[in-house]
Structure formats: structure tokens, C-alpha cells
Amino acid sequence: MNVHLKRWLAVSGAAVVITAGVVVGGSYWRLESNLKTVDLAKEITHARPPATPGRPLNILLIGKDDGRSDTAMVVQLNAKGDQARVVSIPRDTMVPRPQCGTNPPAAIAMFNSAFSTGGAACTVATVEQLSGIRIDHFVQIDFNGFRDVVDRLGGIDVTMPEAIDDEKSGLHVPAGPTKLNGTQALAFVRTRYSIGDGSDLNRIKNQQLFMKALSEKLANENWLASPQKTLELADILTKSIVTDTEIGSIAKLADLAGKLTALKPESITYVTLPTESYLPDPNRVQPKQPEADALWTAA
């Protein structure tokens, strides 16, 4: 059996676009069996924002690290599929958290506590409450899988705005152009204490810079030239991700990817949720109003 995979996933700080190729024999079923899913309709029982026609397609990207969600980005794809905006949500943002399963709602909690409380479904529900927008799908990727993907791609070229000498993450790179391997890339998107003021906002800048470089590499290099390379990359990714059930198959991921064929790296913009200091705890932030609400309504 031949199964054509067009680009089946987008994860980039706004979009990681995963490629298409021909999977022969039992390969399709191996990839299919790798996938893990969460049924949002069963997990989120309260009323959700409406899925109105003509609005952007909203995909929540979650980076999972040691059982926690250290990265959350909302990719908003316009109706034509040729423009996308990626909104990063700082993990230290203090927000209301809705009820998640048997866990009662919290009047105020750190944003990334939603994942440790109720997994991806709770994070989706928290983002929807925070933004007022419907999250159509989510893709959760394990950071170890992220590292392996970068290595399979042969590293990612990044221009470092400043030198990083960070003992906590183990990253030591000079300013200027450099190629990051998987271990270095993982350290780069984790680094915060040795850059700027050490806040999560600086780490988000690194993550957005890296995801832009990643999307450019995937777009500029012909990964479709070798079905074997495509299959190896797909095998790594399908073992490393969790999605909602609505896109939880190779065929459905391929269908979603079909909506991304008109999207180019230069058509992706990266923004961060506007925040301000959270007075009860200077190590935390809170959404800055009215700018935060205006960001979501501007999509």
C-alpha cells in the first residue's frame, strides 16, 4: 500500500511544517500506531468559545519538559492559509484557571500550572478562558523529541544576538551565526537566566528566533527528495507528539497540512502576550490590559 503524506504537522513558533512523502508497506501503520490523542470534547465539559466560520484556525503548540509545559504558542492561520500569527504566552503569567476534570477552578494561578493540573486539555481550556477564542486543535511535543528532530535535520543555523554562557542550561555559544545541534537547540529554547533580565520573556525571544530559523530551514531545503529521510523524520515526530482526536491520525494531519501549503516563513509573524508585573509577586507577570484583550480580538 502506498500512502501519500503531504506535510502533516506544523509546529513553528509558529509552525513546524512536516513534510510529505510516500510511505510504503507497513510504514503508514507504524506511524499511525505512534500517535497519542486526547479527546477535548470529553475532557472539557464547560461551555467553550464558538467555532464561528471565517475566523482564523487556532492551533495551540505545547512544549513538554519533564512533565511540565514550558512553552505555549497559539498559531493563528487566516482563512486563506497564507498568513499566520504566533502568540507566545509566558509560562509565569498569572491567570484564572477553569475547572479541569475533578480539579476545581482557581481564581488565580501560574499559567503553566494548567498542564500539571489537567494536561493539554486543561491548558486548552485555560487559553480559551484567557483569550476568548476557540482553540481548534493542539499539538504537544516532548522536548526530547524536539532535540531528536533538530539532529535529524542536521542542525539549525541561528544568528545569536548575543553570546550565551549559561551554566544552568549548559549552553556556551558566541554571538553571531552558529549552527545548533539538537542538544544545543534544546538548551537555547530553555535558556533564560544568563540573558537580559533573566525573565521568561527573554526565553520566549529565543524560542521565537529559533522557530523562525526552523521554519526557514524546512521551507528552503528539499526534504521531499528522499522518502526515507521523510519517513525517519516522521517516525521521530509521531513518537514525540500528542494531539487532539480530531487531528489524531496520519490522514487528518495530512489534511491539516494541506491548509498550510500557501504559508511561507516570511508570512509568519511572532508576538508575545502583553504583560506587566504582578504586584503580589515580582517574579510573576499578569496580562496587561487593555493591550492583552486587544491582541486576541485583532486576529
Side-chain angles (χ1 to χ4, degrees), residues 106-291:
I108 194 77
M110 200 162 78
F111 173 76
N112 77 334
S113 72
F115 189 85
S116 56
T117 299
C122 190
T123 303
V124 168
T126 302
V127 172
E128 290 186 336
Q129 181 171 278
L130 169 66
S131 64
I133 67 172
R134 175 83 170 208
I135 298 299
D136 300 287
H137 305 295
F138 81 87
V139 177
Q140 170 192 315
I141 184 166
D142 182 86
F143 271 13
N144 289 328
F146 167 85
R147 177 199 61 207
D148 294 343
V149 167
V150 172
D151 281 336
R152 186 66 195 87
L153 291 170
I156 304 295
D157 293 309
V158 176
T159 299
M160 308 293 288
E162 60 182 284
I164 295 179
D165 189 19
D166 190 274
E167 293 301 327
K168 287 184 176 292
S169 68
L171 182 63
H172 306 279
V173 291
T178 190
K179 182 185 288 289
L180 300 178
N181 63 28
T183 299
Q184 291 172 317
L186 184 54
F188 182 58
V189 299
R190 284 170 164 166
T191 295
R192 64 183 289 184
Y193 295 106
S194 64
I195 54 175
D197 59 4
S199 73
D200 194 46
L201 299 179
N202 288 285
R203 176 164 58 183
I204 284 175
K205 291 179 182 177
N206 282 359
Q207 292 171 352
Q208 292 176 344
L209 174 65
F210 182 84
M211 297 311 282
K212 183 175 184 293
L214 175 58
S215 64
E216 289 173 347
K217 182 181 183 79
L218 289 169
N220 294 336
E221 294 186 5
N222 186 12
W223 275 83
L224 303 183
S226 168
Q228 184 60 36
K229 288 171 61 178
T230 300
L231 175 57
E232 290 173 6
L233 182 61
D235 194 36
I236 293 170
L237 279 158
T238 51
K239 289 176 180 175
S240 305
I241 65 172
V242 179
T243 73
D244 59 283
T245 52
E246 290 189 10
I247 56 170
S249 71
I250 297 300
K252 291 175 181 177
L253 285 169
D255 181 64
L256 173 61
K259 297 180 174 65
L260 303 169
T261 55
L263 185 63
K264 295 180 172 57
E266 59 268 24
S267 299
I268 304 170
T269 59
Y270 298 82
V271 298
T272 302
L273 179 72
T275 58
E276 62 186 4
S277 179
Y278 177 65
L279 293 180
D281 185 346
N283 295 316
R284 305 288 180 259
V285 296
Q286 64 185 18
K288 183 179 181 181
Q289 300 297 356
E291 291 88 342

